[in-house]
């Protein structure tokens, strides 16, 4: 109706009580699943609904209920749910969950409400650990999934279950576990239909004597005889569903004890043979669905079936090999309204009037003539059984014979019943703990002690009963004794402690549960639980204790191994996680326990780094462990800069030079490109610098004489060939080569005769300069401290004086040079006072 309101066309659906043919039942089940999924997707698309995310993996540890019913969740059940040991109820039905059910769910031993995961797409084997949910009282609903493999025998430990043991519509295979007979508190919904169960149905199912309705075992591959012990289910009121299997042999007469049945006694579509038991006439309360059709039943229809006089629908015994005439007693079905089917048998003779009159009340499904020979004498259809005209034989004449020789009268014949033994000429009952099962002489002279693992609490027993799972029989075999938690029953004979790494919440059969990796038992033996390892620890499978993770490693809870911390992070021992290295530090290795400080010139501006960054050009890092660099222009001034990875501002901008640790403005006459120091400044052409410690550069009076220098070139290295002296203003005058001054081209080669005078004057000047320098050196050494103090006091005056002195010396050099040149070339004498 909701889809119709949403705009979807209504689908004509019809529900009926008659099961589909066996060969189409499972395809129909798969089709209905596909239809359900398609409708859900169409509805979501039409209404704009958004499919939910996967189930959450992080929930509070005190969570008691997981209620995610019909929310379109996808993905798998998180294994973390197994850690929520306070859980009492799980409802995950009607979603789109996939994968297997985690074994960790077996740890939820406090489940005492429900476990519903029906109508999903779970697959694989059902975990045996679910057998540990021993407090679950009802609603184990696993139906409509694709579980496979055998049903775990451990489910027989859920002895608190009273209803809704619901495993139908899966792919369970192999035999039905006999341990399910221990669920003696079950009252309704014992449902295993539409699986692939095979072999014989266990007789132990007859122990579920409290069952009142809905035993569903249809659409499986069960074979051999229906257990006679099902007759013990005498509280059943409805729905014993055993159809669509491969049951064979006769229908047990004991099923006649189910006299409270009111609806759905379904044994159809099997391979049952032999006559219909007359005892089924005791099902006098059955009003709906007496279905024995599609078997191999033979012989006549029992007249006792006429006692089912409240039948109103679905009396179906067609597709068998029933013979002879219809019993007139079937005419007692005066309440029949639909589905009275006897077709395809070997029935013959006329339809009794009492039966024929029922047709007027049956509105649909009246079918008794097709495939039969009703209306034809049975002697014609079954001549081997019935004779139409009896042959009259003549009476024979009496024959006279002699009397036989009398024999001695035999003594009375003794017959011992089951559960008895013969002693001293009479039968005696077997005592408790013993049994006897002999049906013909010779009768046993003693009873047999019940086997280990079995017991008997009655006298005159013909068989012994199995001890429940986790119990062993007493020495006298009159009772069963509990094995304690932490043990298992070995070969039904003794209680054995769980070995190291194994556990048992309750006594198990033949072996204990394995404690998986990431968990530990805490005890070397006889452990009752398997507990998750805490964060910072780990364990292998079958561990007694957890091992701590070393420094540089970590683990989350229930881990089977520790993981190295990645580069950029560290940890101490027993850590649940790694800590990122703080800003200013780093760690370039995995599995480390300490971070390293960034070295000078490098820094780390964020946490969790595996390497530090070098300071960029223009920035510097003066100390270790820095989380940011300093900017040279901000800290020291706009003239300062640095190279990459510097711990100090070791460079100046291009128009400054580095003088010690100070940047000074480059003087005019040097190159303005690139970074320079005091000693590496490059002098331009036409300029002169006296030394690599001189801060001043001077323009040459004869520019052609001053050539451009290279890195750190000073003094005479700046003079071109043929020139020398201060500012390269003196032309060489030597015996082998002489130069003369030309105002335009500088010093030019001339005759050697004219060079002598200029050279002599130059030598005089040099000698005077050297003498002055020597005198100054002597004074500076002798009065070093005084001079230093005086120099610091008069630093400004000295700077000005030095500039004036340099100008004076240059002027003097020029005057001397000019005079010498004039004299050398016979020029006009200079004016006074320069000439003298």
């Amino acid at each position: 109706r909701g889809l119709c309101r949403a705009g979807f066309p209504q689908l004509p659906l019809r529900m009926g009580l008659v099961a589909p043919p066996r060969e189409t039942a499972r395809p129909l089940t798969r089709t209905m699943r596909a239809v359900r999924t398609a409708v859900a997707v169409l509805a979501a698309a039409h209404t704009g609904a958004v499919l939910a995310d996967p189930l959450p993996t992080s929930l509070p540890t005190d969570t008691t209920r997981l209620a995610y019913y019909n929310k379109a969740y996808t993905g798998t059940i998180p294994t973390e749910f197994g850690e929520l040991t306070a859980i009492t109820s799980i409802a995950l039905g009607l979603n789109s969950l996939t994968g297997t059910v985690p074994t960790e769910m077996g740890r939820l031993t406090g489940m005492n409400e429900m476990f519903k995961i029906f109508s999903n797409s779970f697959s694989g084997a059902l975990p045996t650990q679910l057998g540990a949910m021993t407090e679950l009282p009802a609603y184990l609903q696993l139906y409509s999934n694709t579980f496979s493999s055998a049903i775990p025998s451990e489910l027989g430990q859920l002895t608190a279950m009273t209803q809704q043991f619901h495993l139908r519509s899966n792919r369970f295979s192999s035999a039905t576990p006999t341990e399910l007979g221990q669920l003696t508190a079950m009252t309704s919904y014992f449902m295993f239909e539409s699986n692939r169960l095979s072999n014989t149905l266990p007789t132990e199912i007859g122990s579920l004597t409290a069952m009142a309705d809905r035993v569903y075992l249809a659409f499986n591959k069960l074979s051999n005889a229906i257990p006679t012990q099902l007759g013990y289910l005498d509280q059943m009121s409805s729905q014993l569903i055993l159809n669509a299997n491969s049951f064979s042999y006769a229908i047990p007469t004991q099923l006649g004890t189910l006299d409270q049945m009111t609806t759905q006694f379904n044994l159809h579509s099997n391979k049952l043979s032999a006559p219909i038991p007359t005892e089924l006439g005791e099902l006098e309360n059955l009003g709906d669905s007496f279905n024995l059709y599609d078997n191999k039943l033979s012989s006549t229809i029992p007249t006792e079936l006429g006692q089912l006089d409240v039948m109103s629908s679905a009396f179906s015994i067609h597709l068998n090999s029933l013979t002879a005439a219809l019993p007139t007693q079937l005419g007692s079905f005066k309440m029949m309204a639909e589905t009275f089917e006897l077709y395809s048998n070997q029935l013959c003779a006329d339809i009794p009037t009492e039966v024929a009159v029922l047709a007027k009340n049956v509105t649909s499904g009246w079918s008794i003539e097709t495939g039969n020979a009703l209306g034809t004498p049975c002697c014609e259809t079954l001549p081997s059984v019935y004779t139409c005209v009896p042959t009259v034989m003549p009476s024979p004449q009496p024959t006279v014979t002699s009397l036989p020789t009398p024999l001695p009268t035999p003594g009375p014949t003794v017959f011992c019943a089951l559960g008895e033994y013969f002693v001293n000429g009479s039968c005696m009952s077997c005592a408790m703990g013993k049994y006897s099962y002999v049906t013909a002489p010779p009768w046993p002279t003693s009873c047999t002690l019940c086997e280990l693992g079995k017991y008997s609490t009655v006298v005159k027993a013909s068989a012994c009963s199995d001890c429940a799972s986790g119990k062993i029989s007493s020495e006298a075999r009159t009772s069963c004794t509990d094995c304690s938690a932490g043990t298992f029953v070995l070969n039904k004979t003794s209680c054995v402690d769980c070995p190291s790494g194994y556990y048992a919440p309750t006594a198990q059969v033949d072996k204990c549960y394995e404690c998986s990796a990431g968990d530990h038992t805490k005890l070397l033996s006889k452990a009752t639980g398997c507990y998750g390892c805490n964060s910072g620890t780990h364990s292998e499978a079958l561990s007694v204790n957890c091992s701590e993770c070393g420094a540089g490693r970590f683990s989350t809870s229930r881990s089977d191994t520790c993981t190295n911390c990645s580069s950029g992070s560290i940890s101490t021992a027993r850590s649940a996680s790694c800590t990122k290295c703080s800003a200013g530090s780093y760690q370039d290795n995995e599995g480390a326990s300490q971070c390293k400080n960034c070295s000078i010139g490098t820094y780390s501006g964020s946490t969790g780094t595996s390497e530090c960054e070098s300071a960029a050009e223009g920035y510097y890092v003066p100390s270790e462990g820095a989380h940011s660099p300093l900017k040279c222009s901000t800290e020291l001034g706009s003239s300062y800069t640095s190279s990459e990875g510097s711990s100090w501002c070791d460079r100046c901008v291009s128009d400054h030079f580095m003088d010690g640790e100070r940047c000074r403005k480059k003087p005019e006459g040097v190159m303005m490109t690139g970074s320079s120091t005091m000693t590496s400044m490059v002098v331009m052409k036409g300029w002169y610098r006296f030394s690599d410690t001189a801060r001043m550069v001077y323009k040459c009076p004869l520019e052609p004489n001053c050539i451009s220098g290279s890195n750190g070139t000073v003094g005479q290295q700046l003079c071109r060939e043929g020139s020398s002296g201060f500012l390269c203003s003196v032309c060489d005058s030597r015996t082998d080569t002489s130069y003369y001054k030309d105002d335009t081209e500088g010093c030019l080669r001339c005759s050697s005769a004219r060079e002598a005078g200029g050279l002599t004057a130059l030598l005089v000047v040099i000698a005077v300069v050297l003498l002055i320098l020597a005198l100054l050196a002597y004074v500076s050494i002798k009065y070093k401290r005084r001079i230093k103090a005086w120099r610091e006091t008069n630093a400004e005056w000295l700077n000005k004086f030095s500039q004036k002195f340099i100008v004076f010396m240059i002027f003097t050099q020029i005057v001397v040079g000019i005079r010498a040149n004039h004299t050398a070339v016979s020029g006009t004498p200079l004016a006074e006072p320069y000439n003298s």
Side-chain angles (χ1 to χ4, degrees):
R1 289 195 298 271
L3 291 178
C4 292
R5 288 194 295 270
F8 290 94
Q10 186 170 4
L11 301 176
L13 301 176
R14 179 179 182 270
M15 292 289 290
L17 293 175
V18 180
R22 177 174 183 157
E23 63 275 6
T24 63
R26 289 190 178 91
L28 281 174
T29 301
R30 290 193 293 269
T31 302
M32 289 307 295
R33 287 180 183 170
V35 169
R36 185 187 71 200
T37 302
V39 169
V41 172
L42 286 172
H46 185 80
T47 60
V50 180
L51 294 179
D53 292 329
L55 293 169
T57 58
S58 297
L59 291 172
T61 55
D62 58 352
T63 300
T64 58
R65 286 183 173 84
L66 296 178
Y68 299 111
Y69 176 80
N70 195 18
K71 300 295 184 181
Y73 279 100
T74 59
T76 60
I77 296 179
T79 57
E80 290 80 357
F81 280 5
E83 300 175 17
L84 306 177
T85 53
I87 288 291
T88 61
S89 171
I90 290 180
L92 305 179
L94 288 170
N95 284 293
S96 298
L97 300 171
T98 58
T100 59
V101 174
T103 58
E104 290 80 358
M105 301 298 278
R107 296 195 179 116
L108 307 182
T109 55
M111 292 283 294
N112 59 18
E113 293 185 44
M114 64 182 69
F115 185 76
K116 295 183 177 182
I117 60 172
F118 62 90
S119 296
N120 282 284
S121 296
F122 294 120
S123 59
L126 198 62
T128 60
Q129 289 81 354
L130 295 186
M133 298 181 183
T134 54
E135 296 183 17
L136 192 67
Y139 299 104
L140 180 68
Q141 294 184 335
L142 313 180
Y143 62 88
S144 297
N145 284 287
T146 56
F147 290 118
S148 57
S149 300
I151 296 173
S153 61
E154 289 78 1
L155 296 187
Q157 297 170 192
L158 308 183
T159 54
M161 287 288 295
T162 60
Q163 60 175 320
Q164 294 281 355
F165 197 93
H166 213 328
L167 275 64
R168 67 176 173 84
S169 298
N170 280 287
R171 298 177 183 174
F172 289 117
S173 58
S174 301
T176 307
T178 59
E179 289 80 359
L180 297 184
Q182 297 167 193
L183 308 180
T184 55
M186 284 294 296
T187 61
S188 64
Y189 286 90
F190 188 74
M191 308 186 78
F192 295 83
E193 67 177 77
S194 298
N195 280 288
R196 300 173 182 177
L197 301 175
S198 58
N199 298 333
T200 303
L201 184 64
T203 59
E204 288 80 359
I205 301 301
S207 300
L208 309 183
T209 55
M211 284 298 300
D213 69 294
R214 291 179 174 81
V215 174
Y216 278 40
L217 297 169
F219 296 104
N220 280 289
K221 298 179 181 180
L222 300 172
S223 59
N224 297 321
I226 296 174
T228 59
Q229 288 81 354
L230 294 189
Y232 296 148
L233 309 183
D234 54 9
Q235 301 300 311
M236 286 288 293
S237 62
S238 67
Q239 302 185 41
L240 177 65
I241 312 296
L242 305 180
N243 57 283
N245 280 287
S246 296
F247 288 121
S248 56
Y249 302 107
I251 297 173
T253 60
Q254 290 83 350
L255 296 186
T257 63
L258 310 183
D259 54 7
Q260 297 187 42
M261 289 285 295
T262 60
T263 180
Q264 296 202 43
F265 182 83
N266 290 350
L267 307 182
H268 59 276
S269 301
N270 280 289
K271 299 177 181 179
L272 299 170
S273 59
I276 297 175
T278 59
E279 288 81 358
L280 296 189
E282 301 295 326
L283 308 180
E284 297 178 353
N285 293 306
L286 192 65
D288 169 63
S289 298
F290 181 82
N291 290 321
L292 305 182
Y293 66 86
D294 192 16
N295 279 290
K296 299 178 180 180
L297 301 172
S298 60
S299 192
T300 61
I301 298 174
T303 59
E304 289 80 358
L305 295 187
Q307 299 170 199
L308 310 182
D309 54 7
V310 296
M311 285 294 298
S312 61
S313 65
F315 181 83
S316 300
I317 57 175
H318 54 283
L319 293 170
N320 280 291
S321 297
L322 300 172
T323 61
L326 290 175
T328 59
Q329 288 82 352
L330 297 186
S332 64
F333 294 178
K334 301 186 183 303
M335 299 175 65
M336 282 298 298
E338 61 177 343
T339 314
F340 186 82
E341 297 174 318
L342 309 179
Y343 66 87
S344 296
N345 280 289
Q346 298 177 30
L347 301 173
C348 53
D350 293 332
I351 300 174
T353 303
E354 295 86 347
V355 176
V357 298
L358 300 178
K360 64 179 181 179
N361 295 325
V362 178
T363 57
S364 64
W366 176 270
S367 181
I368 65 174
E369 297 181 4
T370 304
N372 285 305
L374 294 171
T376 302
C378 292
C379 61
E380 295 181 11
T381 58
L382 300 169
S384 60
V385 179
Y386 299 97
T387 303
C388 291
V389 179
T391 301
V392 178
M393 300 295 292
S395 300
Q397 295 294 323
T399 302
V400 178
T401 59
S402 60
L403 293 173
T405 303
L407 295 173
T409 302
T413 302
V414 177
F415 182 87
C416 287
L418 297 178
E420 295 181 336
Y421 67 102
F422 187 75
V423 62
N424 297 328
S426 62
C427 296
M428 303 292 290
S429 296
C430 292
M432 288 190 297
K434 298 183 178 182
Y435 74 100
S436 169
Y437 190 91
V438 179
T439 58
W443 309 116
T445 58
S446 64
C447 295
T448 304
L449 184 68
C450 292
E451 299 173 357
L452 284 170
K454 294 178 178 288
Y455 72 104
S456 172
T457 58
V458 297
V459 296
K460 198 178 177 180
S462 59
C464 298
S465 301
D466 288 326
C467 288
S469 178
K471 294 178 180 255
I472 58 172
S473 52
S474 63
E475 184 176 357
R477 309 295 192 269
T478 57
S479 63
C480 293
T481 304
D482 288 319
C483 287
S484 63
T487 66
F488 68 95
V489 179
L490 179 63
N491 298 326
K492 297 183 178 181
T493 61
S494 61
C495 298
V496 180
D497 290 349
C498 293
S500 176
Y502 292 79
Y503 72 103
T506 58
Q508 301 300 302
V509 178
D510 293 333
K511 64 178 181 178
C512 298
Y513 295 131
E514 291 185 4
C515 195
S516 57
D519 301 329
H520 66 299
T521 61
K522 297 183 179 180
L523 296 175
L524 282 172
S525 63
K526 204 175 181 180
T528 60
C530 182
Y531 310 96
C533 290
N534 295 326
S535 300
T537 65
H538 70 101
S539 71
E540 298 177 349
L542 306 180
S543 292
V544 175
N545 298 305
C546 301
S547 302
E548 73 173 29
C549 297
R553 312 191 80 195
F554 76 99
S555 71
T556 56
S557 60
R558 301 189 58 220
S559 294
D560 58 358
T561 186
C562 298
T563 304
N564 283 335
C565 292
S566 59
S567 56
S569 61
I570 59 170
S571 73
T572 57
R574 205 180 180 89
S575 291
S577 61
C578 297
T579 303
K580 292 182 178 180
C581 291
S582 60
S585 63
Y586 74 102
Q587 180 51 255
D588 53 350
N589 296 317
E590 293 183 352
S593 59
Q594 291 183 332
C595 296
K596 307 173 185 177
N597 282 333
C598 293
S599 60
I600 58 174
T602 65
Y603 69 97
S604 169
S606 59
T607 60
T609 57
S610 58
E611 59 181 352
C612 299
E613 298 183 54
S614 295
E617 289 186 13
Y619 292 83
Y620 70 103
V621 179
S623 59
E624 294 182 348
H627 55 77
S628 63
L630 301 175
K631 191 172 184 179
C632 290
S633 60
T634 301
E635 301 295 325
L636 300 177
S638 60
S639 60
Y640 290 85
T641 186
S642 67
S643 56
E644 182 181 355
S646 293
S647 61
W648 185 246
C649 296
D650 57 351
R651 300 174 63 187
C652 301
V653 296
S654 60
D655 61 346
H656 283 67
F657 70 94
M658 181 64 71
D659 181 8
E661 294 184 353
R662 290 186 60 188
C663 286
R664 300 180 183 275
K665 182 75 174 177
K666 286 182 178 178
E668 185 181 4
V670 299
M671 297 289 186
M672 294 297 173
T673 59
S675 178
S676 303
T677 64
M678 172 72 83
T679 60
S680 66
M681 284 191 291
V682 179
V683 180
M684 298 171 61
K685 183 178 181 180
W687 292 81
Y688 187 89
R689 187 181 180 205
F690 284 97
S691 69
D692 60 6
T693 60
R695 297 176 183 171
M696 299 299 295
V697 179
Y698 304 95
K699 191 171 181 65
C700 294
L702 297 176
E703 290 188 16
N705 282 356
C706 296
I707 60 177
S708 175
S710 58
N711 187 16
T713 303
V714 295
Q716 295 301 305
Q717 296 173 335
L718 296 173
C719 298
R720 82 171 185 178
E721 185 181 1
S723 63
S724 61
F726 295 127
L727 305 181
C728 305
S729 58
V730 178
C731 293
D732 287 343
S733 177
R734 291 175 291 179
T735 57
D736 54 341
T737 305
S738 297
Y739 290 83
Y740 69 95
K741 172 184 170 293
D742 183 87
D743 292 339
T744 304
E745 299 183 24
C747 293
L748 299 175
R749 184 184 290 271
C750 62
S751 64
S752 57
R754 295 180 178 178
E755 295 172 354
L759 178 59
T760 301
L762 180 60
L763 291 174
V764 171
V765 172
I766 292 174
V768 171
V769 171
L770 291 175
L771 180 60
I772 294 172
L773 291 175
L775 182 60
L776 290 173
Y778 172 77
V779 173
S780 62
I781 293 172
K782 185 174 182 179
Y783 302 101
K784 180 177 181 181
R785 292 184 180 178
R786 294 181 181 180
I787 291 172
K788 181 177 180 182
W790 181 81
R791 186 176 58 194
E792 291 177 353
T793 303
N794 300 280
E796 185 177 356
W797 177 84
L798 283 173
N799 186 42
K800 293 179 180 180
F801 174 78
S802 64
Q803 294 179 14
K804 291 178 180 180
F805 178 74
I806 291 171
V807 170
F808 169 75
M809 292 300 296
I810 293 171
F811 176 75
T812 301
Q813 181 185 14
I814 292 172
V815 171
V816 173
I818 291 174
R819 181 177 178 278
N821 287 339
H822 273 246
T823 302
V825 298
S826 301
T828 303
L830 295 175
E832 293 297 341
Y834 305 112
N835 190 43
S836 58

